[in-house]
Amino acid sequence: MISLSTIIIDDNATQREILSGFLKKIGCHVETSESGEQGIEIIKKTYIDVVITDFRMDGMNGLEVLQKVKEINPEIQVVILTAFGTIEDSVKAIKNGAWDYLSKPVDLDELEIKLKKISEHKTLIKENEILHTQHDNEEFVSDIVYSSDSMQTVLNMVARVSDSQAAILIQGESGTGKEIIAKTIHKMSQRNNQPFIVVNCAAIPEALFESELFGREKGAFTGAHERCKGRFEIADGGTLFLDEVADIPYTFQVKLLRFLQEKEFNRLGSTQIIKSNVRIISATNLDIQQLVAQNKFRSDLYFRLNVIPIHIPALRHRREDIPLLIKHFIAKHSKLNKRKVINISAEGLDMLMRYDYPGNVRELENIIERAVILARSKFITQEDLPLNMSCNPLTVLEGNLIKQVELLETSLINNALKQTQYVQTQAADNLGISERTLRYKIAKYNIKKNSNDV
Ligand SMILES: Nc1ncnc2c1ncn2[C@@H]1O[C@H](COP(=O)(O)OP(=O)(O)OP(=O)(O)O)[C@@H](O)[C@H]1O
Ligand SMILES: [Mg+2]
């Protein structure tokens, strides 16, 4: 099967019928036209991959059709049909950018081979473009680690909806794993051998939004030297991930809505209609319903994007996941940094279990990465964990104010000593206290040089 969108331009009705019957049989979409002029009008309005045109026709001839088509869209391939023996015509056509020519009467097997080549060529170009845009897909889908019931519910939902075409909106605080879930949905869908394209809506300047997403023609605006495919076109057949979707400029929201309804769009500076079959997954850490209520986000767009809502709970609401995630990240960063860290001390784990993680899983991962690098043995200890974690009131052990202040002081002094390799003068200096006071506190809190420290 060859799924190209084609148009046959020929003034001979029988020829049109034979060719169109054959092309439909091998899986192509077919338009027909009896003249070059009419054909060009159709090409302007329809999505076309290949033009098959007769050479000699009244009015516009095949060569003129070729020229016009290339002006409209140089990526449309043209195959010219020439009468037997007019080899000069064919050479001229190839020189002018035709893909190939076929002598009449047309050998249908030969036509099929040529179309197959065009189709392969198209796929290759698309793949190159994707490789270009998607530089971060090395570690495409890493494993999702969890043990909590709430994440089990999320993953059950993912499995149920991955193969549907419906738009999905993933909500959750920053760092909860929205992107990794989006990738998992793509991976579990039948689109998994097609592109997964990420658009970070917060990172694109408002003025460039339309051209980034829908593409642009050469000269569409000052500075547009090249024609350029947008993300929607590149993602054709695959999944488009609209990250930080709440940041889509209001002016663009209506255009996105139109695309979601019609599944077609046109490049900036062009009236040619382009179709794209993409599955939309969007994500936000903002309260998008509130933005809708404040008229900052169109409600009709919100409903289109939110056909299937998925909510990822904050890490502090699923603390059961913390130990597994720690193990996972220790293994990951130990390997990446060529370290031999294998586990965490009981006190360290205790500290991590109590922390609140405003930055969720991403914050936990950063903490572990740092600790793996700092660790002096196979185990991460409390000293390898950031100081400000113990400053977090929630991580301080229960107790009255005095007890809490003592704990905080102990931790601050410990760190200052470590940072200065136990040179007390310097540690005292860093802490902004006299050396005498420091010595007094070291004795009072019974602070000892950690045996792991050198
Ligand atoms: N359940 C999980 N198992 C393993 N790794 C996870 C899990 N959840 C998140 N991560 C990892 O945590 C980091 C943050 O996840 P991700 O980028 O998907 O979050 P996000 O919600 O998109 O964050 P932001 O709101 O900041 O864009 C990534 O490195 C991701 O691989
Ligand atoms: Mg993200």
Side-chain angles (χ1 to χ4, degrees):
M1 283 306 241
I2 304 174
S3 58
L4 290 170
S5 188
T6 64
I7 180 167
I8 300 158
I9 306 176
D10 199 311
D11 48 10
N12 181 324
T14 323
Q15 176 87 333
R16 285 201 304 271
E17 261 165 48
I18 295 172
L19 290 180
S20 97
F22 176 72
L23 291 181
K24 281 180 188 155
K25 209 181 79 194
I26 62 171
C28 292
H29 168 81
V30 189
E31 301 275 340
T32 55
S33 159
E34 53 180 19
S35 75
E37 289 81 355
Q38 193 193 31
I40 291 298
E41 285 315 305
I42 298 175
I43 293 164
K44 278 185 187 158
K45 290 193 216 109
T46 326
Y47 178 83
I48 296 286
D49 297 307
V50 186
V51 177
I52 299 164
T53 178
D54 193 12
F55 196 97
R56 285 180 202 283
M57 292 179 288
D58 289 340
M60 217 182 228
N61 71 21
L63 220 49
E64 288 163 324
V65 169
L66 168 65
Q67 199 182 346
K68 270 268 178 271
V69 167
K70 291 290 167 184
E71 274 169 27
I72 297 169
N73 180 353
E75 275 165 38
I76 300 178
Q77 302 302 346
V78 180
V79 176
I80 305 248
L81 308 177
T82 63
F84 183 73
T86 51
I87 192 80
E88 304 81 42
D89 292 347
S90 330
V91 172
K92 215 167 167 185
I94 301 274
K95 273 194 175 154
N96 280 281
W99 175 267
D100 210 340
Y101 66 91
L102 279 169
S103 311
K104 292 201 279 194
V106 175
D107 177 343
L108 294 177
D109 289 338
E110 206 183 331
L111 175 62
E112 183 173 356
I113 291 168
K114 293 199 191 309
L115 290 177
K116 217 175 231 159
K117 274 261 155 59
I118 293 181
S119 173
E120 283 165 9
H121 173 77
K122 215 187 137 211
T123 317
L124 210 74
I125 290 195
K126 201 166 114 180
E127 281 169 3
N128 274 333
E129 288 190 27
I130 294 157
L131 284 177
H132 228 70
T133 24
Q134 201 171 354
H135 36 77
D136 67 338
N137 66 350
E138 320 86 58
E139 193 199 7
F140 189 56
V141 172
S142 30
D143 311 313
I144 295 202
V145 176
Y146 64 94
S147 71
S148 60
D149 289 345
S150 55
M151 280 306 281
Q152 183 62 57
T153 311
V154 168
L155 268 295
N156 289 346
M157 188 68 170
V158 164
R160 271 173 53 206
V161 302
S162 56
D163 249 336
S164 85
Q165 303 305 315
I168 296 178
L169 177 65
I170 304 173
Q171 289 185 266
E173 286 181 13
S174 140
T176 43
K178 297 184 290 296
E179 183 158 349
I180 198 177
I181 289 288
K183 282 179 180 167
T184 306
I185 295 171
H186 174 76
K187 204 192 168 199
M188 288 171 79
S189 77
Q190 280 164 1
R191 295 172 178 263
N192 60 12
N193 55 354
Q194 298 288 328
F196 176 86
I197 299 289
V198 180
V199 178
N200 184 342
C201 301
I204 303 174
E206 182 165 356
L208 293 182
F209 225 86
E210 186 166 356
S211 114
E212 282 290 317
L213 267 70
F214 289 160
R216 58 164 188 259
E217 286 303 322
K218 198 170 159 178
F221 53 84
T222 339
H225 300 303
E226 299 273 302
R227 71 197 285 281
C228 180
K229 280 191 183 177
R231 313 281 171 99
F232 275 88
E233 215 173 328
I234 297 169
D236 189 14
T239 305
L240 189 76
F241 178 51
L242 296 173
D243 203 4
E244 322 269 4
V245 73
D247 283 307
I248 292 188
Y250 200 80
T251 45
F252 186 74
Q253 290 180 13
V254 67
K255 291 182 177 162
L256 179 60
L257 182 68
R258 195 197 117 197
F259 171 80
L260 294 174
Q261 286 162 343
E262 325 271 331
K263 302 279 177 231
E264 55 185 39
F265 60 94
N266 38 276
R267 294 194 183 119
L268 203 62
S270 153
T271 50
Q272 193 204 348
I273 287 171
I274 299 172
K275 283 192 191 296
S276 177
N277 167 12
V278 293
R279 203 270 177 87
I280 305 276
I281 302 179
S282 29
T284 180
N285 54 22
L286 297 180
D287 184 349
I288 196 164
Q289 270 144 305
Q290 196 189 339
L291 295 175
V292 171
Q294 295 168 344
N295 287 328
K296 289 184 182 148
F297 200 91
R298 293 182 66 107
S299 60
D300 43 11
L301 180 59
Y302 168 69
F303 289 119
R304 281 270 168 184
L305 293 174
N306 192 28
V307 178
I308 298 170
I310 291 182
H311 180 261
I312 309 185
L315 187 55
R316 63 182 167 282
H317 294 141
R318 48 178 166 109
R319 289 184 195 268
E320 316 91 282
D321 290 345
I322 295 175
L324 277 182
L325 284 165
I326 292 176
K327 273 221 151 112
H328 176 72
F329 292 137
I330 288 179
K332 176 176 167 185
H333 292 288
S334 221
K335 196 170 160 211
L336 283 176
N337 294 290
K338 302 200 169 51
R339 306 295 301 235
K340 294 205 164 53
V341 181
I342 49 168
N343 213 334
I344 185 163
S345 70
E347 298 79 29
L349 178 62
D350 191 52
M351 191 159 154
L352 291 177
M353 287 300 283
R354 288 162 186 274
Y355 184 59
D356 243 12
Y357 301 97
N360 293 290
V361 184
R362 182 190 316 260
E363 185 177 7
L364 175 60
E365 178 165 8
N366 290 343
I367 291 171
I368 298 297
E369 179 177 11
R370 181 176 172 278
V372 162
I373 294 167
L374 290 179
R376 289 153 207 260
S377 72
K378 285 183 179 169
F379 289 85
I380 291 173
T381 61
Q382 228 169 332
E383 283 85 46
D384 307 319
L385 301 172
L387 183 60
N388 59 1
M389 285 186 70
S390 43
C391 291
N392 184 322
L394 274 151
T395 68
V396 172
L397 301 169
E398 295 87 60
N400 61 21
L401 183 67
I402 294 170
K403 179 76 191 153
Q404 294 199 28
V405 169
E406 279 179 5
L407 280 167
L408 190 56
E409 277 195 336
T410 309
S411 160
L412 289 168
I413 291 169
N414 240 323
N415 271 279
L417 286 169
K418 255 177 75 181
Q419 276 166 10
T420 59
Q421 268 91 39
Y422 291 86
V423 179
Q424 292 189 0
T425 332
Q426 217 177 315
D429 219 38
N430 289 355
L431 288 165
I433 53 175
S434 72
E435 206 182 330
R436 203 169 142 252
T437 313
L438 178 63
R439 270 201 303 272
Y440 164 75
K441 287 187 191 285
I442 288 175
K444 179 179 167 198
Y445 300 138
N446 195 19
I447 294 172
K448 294 204 177 74
K449 187 170 172 176
N450 191 316
S451 56
N452 287 328
D453 294 342
V454 274

